[in-house]
mmCIF file of all heavy atoms in Angstrom:
data_model
loop_
_atom_site.group_PDB
_atom_site.id
_atom_site.type_symbol
_atom_site.label_atom_id
_atom_site.label_comp_id
_atom_site.label_asym_id
_atom_site.label_seq_id
_atom_site.Cartn_x
_atom_site.Cartn_y
_atom_site.Cartn_z
ATOM 1 N N HIS A 439 -6.207 23.613 -14.427
ATOM 2 C CA HIS A 439 -5.970 22.224 -14.801
ATOM 3 C C HIS A 439 -5.027 21.703 -13.660
ATOM 4 O O HIS A 439 -4.005 22.318 -13.387
ATOM 5 C CB HIS A 439 -5.267 22.110 -16.193
ATOM 6 C CG HIS A 439 -5.275 20.623 -16.485
ATOM 7 N ND1 HIS A 439 -4.573 19.665 -15.986
ATOM 8 C CD2 HIS A 439 -5.980 20.034 -17.566
ATOM 9 C CE1 HIS A 439 -4.783 18.491 -16.553
ATOM 10 N NE2 HIS A 439 -5.628 18.694 -17.549
ATOM 11 N N MET A 442 -0.902 16.686 -12.480
ATOM 12 C CA MET A 442 -0.814 15.431 -11.774
ATOM 13 C C MET A 442 -0.910 15.614 -10.373
ATOM 14 O O MET A 442 -1.507 14.598 -9.727
ATOM 15 C CB MET A 442 0.650 14.867 -12.218
ATOM 16 C CG MET A 442 0.872 13.519 -11.849
ATOM 17 S SD MET A 442 2.374 13.140 -12.489
ATOM 18 C CE MET A 442 2.902 11.956 -11.238
ATOM 19 N N TYR A 606 -4.449 -1.590 -13.403
ATOM 20 C CA TYR A 606 -3.541 -0.489 -13.179
ATOM 21 C C TYR A 606 -2.823 -0.651 -11.763
ATOM 22 O O TYR A 606 -3.453 -0.923 -10.803
ATOM 23 C CB TYR A 606 -4.425 0.849 -13.230
ATOM 24 C CG TYR A 606 -3.326 2.061 -12.870
ATOM 25 C CD1 TYR A 606 -2.683 2.587 -13.930
ATOM 26 C CD2 TYR A 606 -3.197 2.575 -11.584
ATOM 27 C CE1 TYR A 606 -1.727 3.589 -13.712
ATOM 28 C CE2 TYR A 606 -2.345 3.498 -11.330
ATOM 29 C CZ TYR A 606 -1.492 4.087 -12.487
ATOM 30 O OH TYR A 606 -0.684 5.087 -12.215
ATOM 31 N N ARG A 628 4.743 5.958 -21.321
ATOM 32 C CA ARG A 628 3.846 5.474 -20.330
ATOM 33 C C ARG A 628 3.847 4.072 -20.066
ATOM 34 O O ARG A 628 4.082 3.305 -20.993
ATOM 35 C CB ARG A 628 2.388 5.942 -20.838
ATOM 36 C CG ARG A 628 2.101 7.323 -21.084
ATOM 37 C CD ARG A 628 2.013 8.078 -19.843
ATOM 38 N NE ARG A 628 1.942 9.580 -19.972
ATOM 39 C CZ ARG A 628 3.027 10.284 -19.945
ATOM 40 N NH1 ARG A 628 4.182 9.744 -19.764
ATOM 41 N NH2 ARG A 628 2.920 11.630 -20.076
ATOM 42 N N THR A 629 3.483 3.678 -18.853
ATOM 43 C CA THR A 629 3.407 2.305 -18.479
ATOM 44 C C THR A 629 1.992 1.854 -18.678
ATOM 45 O O THR A 629 1.079 2.527 -18.309
ATOM 46 C CB THR A 629 3.851 1.986 -16.974
ATOM 47 O OG1 THR A 629 5.247 2.433 -16.920
ATOM 48 C CG2 THR A 629 3.832 0.527 -16.639
ATOM 49 P P DA C 1264 6.840 4.104 -14.322
ATOM 50 O OP1 DA C 1264 6.241 2.804 -14.261
ATOM 51 O OP2 DA C 1264 7.271 4.645 -15.566
ATOM 52 O "O5'" DA C 1264 5.709 5.162 -13.794
ATOM 53 C "C5'" DA C 1264 5.131 4.999 -12.364
ATOM 54 C "C4'" DA C 1264 4.486 6.324 -12.112
ATOM 55 O "O4'" DA C 1264 5.523 7.268 -11.754
ATOM 56 C "C3'" DA C 1264 3.708 6.939 -13.174
ATOM 57 O "O3'" DA C 1264 2.369 6.513 -13.071
ATOM 58 C "C2'" DA C 1264 3.907 8.376 -12.950
ATOM 59 C "C1'" DA C 1264 5.112 8.585 -12.091
ATOM 60 N N9 DA C 1264 6.292 9.257 -12.612
ATOM 61 C C8 DA C 1264 6.867 9.023 -13.848
ATOM 62 N N7 DA C 1264 7.994 9.759 -14.030
ATOM 63 C C5 DA C 1264 7.991 10.570 -12.931
ATOM 64 C C6 DA C 1264 8.852 11.660 -12.483
ATOM 65 N N6 DA C 1264 9.876 12.099 -13.338
ATOM 66 N N1 DA C 1264 8.606 12.154 -11.384
ATOM 67 C C2 DA C 1264 7.729 11.867 -10.590
ATOM 68 N N3 DA C 1264 6.705 10.912 -10.812
ATOM 69 C C4 DA C 1264 7.057 10.240 -12.003
ATOM 70 P P DG C 1265 1.423 6.312 -14.299
ATOM 71 O OP1 DG C 1265 0.282 5.530 -13.832
ATOM 72 O OP2 DG C 1265 2.359 5.766 -15.381
ATOM 73 O "O5'" DG C 1265 1.105 7.761 -14.776
ATOM 74 C "C5'" DG C 1265 0.227 8.527 -13.942
ATOM 75 C "C4'" DG C 1265 0.289 9.897 -14.249
ATOM 76 O "O4'" DG C 1265 1.691 10.399 -14.245
ATOM 77 C "C3'" DG C 1265 -0.076 10.271 -15.749
ATOM 78 O "O3'" DG C 1265 -1.345 10.778 -15.847
ATOM 79 C "C2'" DG C 1265 0.947 11.373 -16.241
ATOM 80 C "C1'" DG C 1265 1.932 11.468 -14.974
ATOM 81 N N9 DG C 1265 3.220 11.516 -15.407
ATOM 82 C C8 DG C 1265 3.833 10.770 -16.451
ATOM 83 N N7 DG C 1265 5.188 11.003 -16.515
ATOM 84 C C5 DG C 1265 5.469 12.095 -15.545
ATOM 85 C C6 DG C 1265 6.610 12.748 -15.286
ATOM 86 O O6 DG C 1265 7.688 12.564 -15.741
ATOM 87 N N1 DG C 1265 6.470 13.562 -14.250
ATOM 88 C C2 DG C 1265 5.173 13.838 -13.540
ATOM 89 N N2 DG C 1265 5.230 14.661 -12.557
ATOM 90 N N3 DG C 1265 4.077 13.142 -13.796
ATOM 91 C C4 DG C 1265 4.270 12.362 -14.900
ATOM 92 P P DG C 1266 -2.088 10.752 -17.181
ATOM 93 O OP1 DG C 1266 -3.500 10.331 -16.907
ATOM 94 O OP2 DG C 1266 -1.458 10.067 -18.273
ATOM 95 O "O5'" DG C 1266 -2.012 12.342 -17.565
ATOM 96 C "C5'" DG C 1266 -2.753 13.243 -16.732
ATOM 97 C "C4'" DG C 1266 -2.801 14.608 -17.178
ATOM 98 O "O4'" DG C 1266 -1.422 15.125 -17.326
ATOM 99 C "C3'" DG C 1266 -3.314 14.743 -18.715
ATOM 100 O "O3'" DG C 1266 -3.911 15.997 -18.722
ATOM 101 C "C2'" DG C 1266 -2.147 14.615 -19.513
ATOM 102 C "C1'" DG C 1266 -1.043 15.260 -18.739
ATOM 103 N N9 DG C 1266 0.271 14.482 -18.776
ATOM 104 C C8 DG C 1266 0.562 13.190 -18.880
ATOM 105 N N7 DG C 1266 1.773 12.922 -18.866
ATOM 106 C C5 DG C 1266 2.370 14.195 -18.879
ATOM 107 C C6 DG C 1266 3.802 14.435 -18.712
ATOM 108 O O6 DG C 1266 4.737 13.756 -18.772
ATOM 109 N N1 DG C 1266 4.000 15.833 -18.609
ATOM 110 C C2 DG C 1266 3.056 16.724 -18.480
ATOM 111 N N2 DG C 1266 3.371 18.033 -18.325
ATOM 112 N N3 DG C 1266 1.684 16.483 -18.557
ATOM 113 C C4 DG C 1266 1.588 15.133 -18.616
ATOM 114 P P DC C 1267 -4.621 16.467 -20.110
ATOM 115 O OP1 DC C 1267 -5.608 17.455 -19.710
ATOM 116 O OP2 DC C 1267 -4.923 15.292 -20.950
ATOM 117 O "O5'" DC C 1267 -3.527 17.281 -20.876
ATOM 118 C "C5'" DC C 1267 -3.057 18.517 -20.264
ATOM 119 C "C4'" DC C 1267 -1.893 18.998 -20.948
ATOM 120 O "O4'" DC C 1267 -0.747 17.917 -20.799
ATOM 121 C "C3'" DC C 1267 -2.062 19.263 -22.399
ATOM 122 O "O3'" DC C 1267 -1.619 20.567 -22.696
ATOM 123 C "C2'" DC C 1267 -1.033 18.281 -23.099
ATOM 124 C "C1'" DC C 1267 -0.054 18.136 -21.914
ATOM 125 N N1 DC C 1267 0.772 16.879 -22.122
ATOM 126 C C2 DC C 1267 2.274 16.945 -21.921
ATOM 127 O O2 DC C 1267 2.685 18.107 -21.735
ATOM 128 N N3 DC C 1267 3.051 15.892 -22.012
ATOM 129 C C4 DC C 1267 2.459 14.721 -22.150
ATOM 130 N N4 DC C 1267 3.226 13.594 -22.238
ATOM 131 C C5 DC C 1267 0.991 14.461 -22.337
ATOM 132 C C6 DC C 1267 0.325 15.696 -22.267
ATOM 133 P P DC C 1268 -2.072 21.238 -24.087
ATOM 134 O OP1 DC C 1268 -2.949 22.421 -23.809
ATOM 135 O OP2 DC C 1268 -2.616 20.211 -24.972
ATOM 136 O "O5'" DC C 1268 -0.553 21.708 -24.634
ATOM 137 C "C5'" DC C 1268 0.213 22.443 -23.671
ATOM 138 C "C4'" DC C 1268 1.584 22.305 -24.332
ATOM 139 O "O4'" DC C 1268 2.117 20.989 -24.052
ATOM 140 C "C3'" DC C 1268 1.791 22.634 -25.689
ATOM 141 O "O3'" DC C 1268 2.620 23.814 -25.803
ATOM 142 C "C2'" DC C 1268 2.388 21.353 -26.254
ATOM 143 C "C1'" DC C 1268 2.973 20.613 -25.105
ATOM 144 N N1 DC C 1268 2.867 19.245 -25.175
ATOM 145 C C2 DC C 1268 4.120 18.415 -25.252
ATOM 146 O O2 DC C 1268 5.110 18.953 -24.974
ATOM 147 N N3 DC C 1268 4.038 17.104 -25.329
ATOM 148 C C4 DC C 1268 2.815 16.418 -25.523
ATOM 149 N N4 DC C 1268 2.788 15.111 -25.569
ATOM 150 C C5 DC C 1268 1.714 17.217 -25.575
ATOM 151 C C6 DC C 1268 1.693 18.555 -25.499
#
Side-chain angles (χ1 to χ4, degrees):
Chain A
H439 194 295
M442 194 174 145
Y606 180 82
R628 296 287 172 269
T629 299

